[in-house]
Amino acid sequence: MGLTSIEMTRFLLSLLTLLVAANVLGYLAERLTVPRVIGEVAGGLVLGPTVFGHFAPDTFQWLYQGFPAQEKLLGLVYQLGLIFLMFNSGLKFQPKFNRGDTSIGLAILAGSTVIPFAAGWVFTGFTNPADLLGPAQSLLAFKIVVAISIAVTSIPVISKILFDLGVMHTRFAKLMVAVAGIHDTLLWVGLALAAGLAGAESHQGIATVLRSTGATFGLIAVCLLVLPRVLRLINGNRFNILVRASFLGYILAILLMLALLAGYLGVDVMFGALLAGIAVKLAFPEHLFDRVENSIREISFSFFIPLYFAMVGLQLDLARQCPLGFFLLYLLFATAVQGTVVYLTCRLLHLDRLTSMNLAAAMNARGGPGIVLSTVAFSLGLISEPFFAVLVMLALVTSWMAGSWLRFVVKTGRPLMPGDEKVAAVKPQEEVTLDAVPSVK
């Protein structure tokens, strides 16, 4: 049964307000040298119970909770935004380091993954799980989520910061993208396992847990080892009508197919979307991959992803949900652990102090993946509402800190890493200007 005209109008109005707020505040954040994701979430905070819902609760309810199906419709758009975000994260995957940086990359990768993950796991022993656990009441899955939140790094935020600074072509940027890509893929495996374990525990039985774990690793093996070869065989096949009918439609079909396969196997669909992005990255030659990335980026970062981040803010009521004292403690612990581990790892590799500090700051930005972690864990009932707010704020604040530090270093004229001294910054693309009359030369 379809929506009435009034319901459809109200749903579109709610989308319109969220989309405008996310894009406008995201743009203003960038102009203020703040990562765009912070502005997009702020758009939802302004329209949500934190601000608008607090001062005009009746209007807020009319706009975003006006009829029974509205919450589900907004939830569908929210999930699509998450799927596109994860697919784009997969497209950023870099399986190889630059020559000469392999030892540095592998050392940072090992240190920033294993030690912070272990520290997060130990940290849960000093907390009261009753205040932090979600309805699923899965202590094991909760520990995995906490461990990931300490270790996670944001590929999209770091990439966007480096792009805005005009240094995306430098040695530092290439090393960071490669490390962050492999690093976060490993941690997403952990999140997929946490999701599977929560579902398995609810049904009880070691066989269910083993089946969920096997399905996760089996899907990874297929997407990384088998699917890229299959795609290379069928991409240019003359019987592949879909790729000729619509190249973008073909890419979206791959995305949906992997998300569906993940869901069918009991693995979270967002992990299927991430693996779809990685498989596409490995399957297409560079000139076609650039076309894939450009096509997907336009539809993702103009509509679905801003709406996703705005709806994250829409779910938060910082005045009532975020325990300030615990958040500050968690922020201090997370940044100290990840920052110290990366800094000391770099110093052991005989990198200078500034380079070590730059890499430590970049690896501390949790951004989009940190928010994805919190929203997925919250939707699965693994964490409580206050802890959800803490993890979102952790992702936002650490992204702001990383962006501010790297921008400061670049503005002082110092290279982010040895070897970049003579590399000139490339000015990023200017914002679009609409002239009333096109100029004719």
Side-chain angles (χ1 to χ4, degrees):
M1 187 175 181
L3 299 177
T4 66
S5 178
I6 294 176
E7 290 173 339
M8 189 65 186
T9 300
R10 193 172 296 184
F11 171 63
L12 292 177
L13 179 60
S14 64
L15 282 186
L16 174 63
T17 55
L18 287 167
L19 184 63
V20 171
N23 279 306
V24 170
L25 290 184
Y27 169 77
L28 292 176
E30 286 188 322
R31 301 292 290 181
L32 296 172
T33 68
V34 175
R36 188 180 185 96
V37 63
I38 296 180
E40 291 172 343
V41 174
L45 287 172
V46 170
L47 293 176
T50 302
V51 181
F52 181 56
H54 177 75
F55 293 102
D58 293 338
T59 308
F60 169 78
Q61 187 170 12
W62 176 88
L63 182 57
Y64 297 108
Q65 301 168 358
F67 57 94
Q70 186 172 10
E71 189 173 352
K72 290 185 177 180
L73 288 171
L74 289 173
L76 173 62
V77 177
Y78 170 88
Q79 292 294 336
L80 288 173
L82 173 57
I83 287 173
F84 274 99
L85 176 61
M86 296 306 296
F87 185 63
N88 278 274
S89 297
L91 293 177
K92 294 290 184 183
F93 180 74
Q94 296 289 339
K96 297 179 181 179
F97 295 101
N98 281 356
R99 183 178 298 176
D101 285 342
T102 302
S103 58
I104 297 175
L106 291 177
I108 294 174
L109 179 62
S112 64
T113 304
V114 177
I115 299 177
F117 189 92
W121 189 282
V122 172
F123 180 83
T124 59
F126 297 92
T127 62
N128 182 8
D131 298 331
L132 305 176
L133 275 174
Q137 293 295 302
S138 174
L139 183 60
L140 178 58
F142 169 75
K143 288 184 176 182
I144 294 175
V145 170
V146 173
I148 293 173
S149 73
I150 303 300
V152 72
T153 299
S154 173
I155 308 173
V157 166
I158 286 299
S159 298
K160 190 65 171 64
I161 290 171
L162 297 172
F163 175 79
D164 289 341
L165 292 175
V167 296
M168 196 61 184
H169 58 299
T170 61
R171 177 192 179 195
F172 178 87
K174 292 174 181 177
L175 176 64
M176 268 306 309
V177 171
V179 171
I182 301 173
H183 171 83
D184 282 356
T185 301
L186 296 174
L187 294 176
W188 289 133
V189 174
L191 181 56
L193 288 174
L197 288 171
E201 287 180 3
S202 65
H203 293 88
Q204 299 180 351
I206 189 65
T208 309
V209 174
L210 292 175
R211 193 181 309 119
S212 174
T213 305
T216 301
F217 284 104
L219 187 62
I220 294 171
V222 169
C223 291
L224 296 186
L225 303 177
V226 179
L227 186 59
R229 297 182 181 182
V230 173
L231 289 177
R232 283 193 289 269
L233 289 175
I234 66 174
N235 285 341
N237 193 291
R238 61 191 181 92
F239 294 108
N240 190 347
I241 300 175
L242 180 56
V243 73
R244 286 180 287 166
S246 172
F247 183 70
L248 180 57
Y250 176 62
I251 300 303
L252 293 176
I254 296 173
L255 166 60
L256 294 178
M257 179 190 70
L258 265 296
L260 284 169
L261 179 60
Y264 178 77
L265 294 174
V267 181
D268 199 278
V269 294
M270 69 88 192
F271 189 61
L274 176 79
L275 292 177
I278 296 175
V280 168
K281 169 76 174 181
L282 299 176
F284 284 84
E286 187 173 348
H287 69 285
L288 282 179
F289 176 76
D290 290 341
R291 182 179 171 185
V292 171
E293 196 170 28
N294 292 334
S295 300
I296 292 294
R297 184 170 58 236
E298 289 297 322
I299 189 173
S300 300
F301 288 94
S302 61
F303 185 77
F304 287 106
I305 292 177
L307 281 173
Y308 165 74
F309 284 126
M311 289 184 200
V312 171
L314 195 69
Q315 296 179 66
L316 293 173
D317 187 350
L318 294 184
R320 295 193 305 176
Q321 293 175 353
C322 189
L324 182 60
F326 180 74
F327 163 69
L328 293 176
L329 174 64
Y330 203 75
L331 172 67
L332 179 62
F333 177 77
T335 53
V337 169
Q338 184 70 291
T340 302
V341 167
V342 175
Y343 180 83
L344 292 179
T345 300
C346 293
R347 294 294 290 153
L348 287 172
L349 295 171
H350 305 295
L351 295 177
D352 62 87
R353 289 187 177 88
L354 179 60
T355 301
S356 302
M357 184 66 71
N358 294 339
L359 289 167
M363 290 299 294
N364 243 316
R366 288 163 176 86
I371 294 174
V372 170
L373 169 69
S374 60
T375 55
V376 171
F378 182 60
S379 66
L380 293 171
L382 305 182
I383 59 175
S384 65
E385 204 166 10
F387 193 47
F388 164 64
V390 166
L391 291 185
V392 172
M393 290 302 298
L394 176 70
L396 296 177
V397 174
T398 53
S399 299
W400 171 75
M401 292 166 60
S404 298
W405 173 259
L406 295 177
R407 193 176 298 275
F408 166 75
V409 173
V410 170
K411 282 192 173 184
T412 60
R414 290 175 290 179
L416 292 171
M417 190 172 188
D420 293 336
E421 292 85 357
K422 297 182 180 180
V423 179
V426 176
K427 192 173 183 180
Q429 184 179 356
E430 297 287 349
E431 64 187 78
V432 175
T433 56
L434 304 176
D435 299 323
V437 180
S439 58
V440 177
K441 294 184 180 180

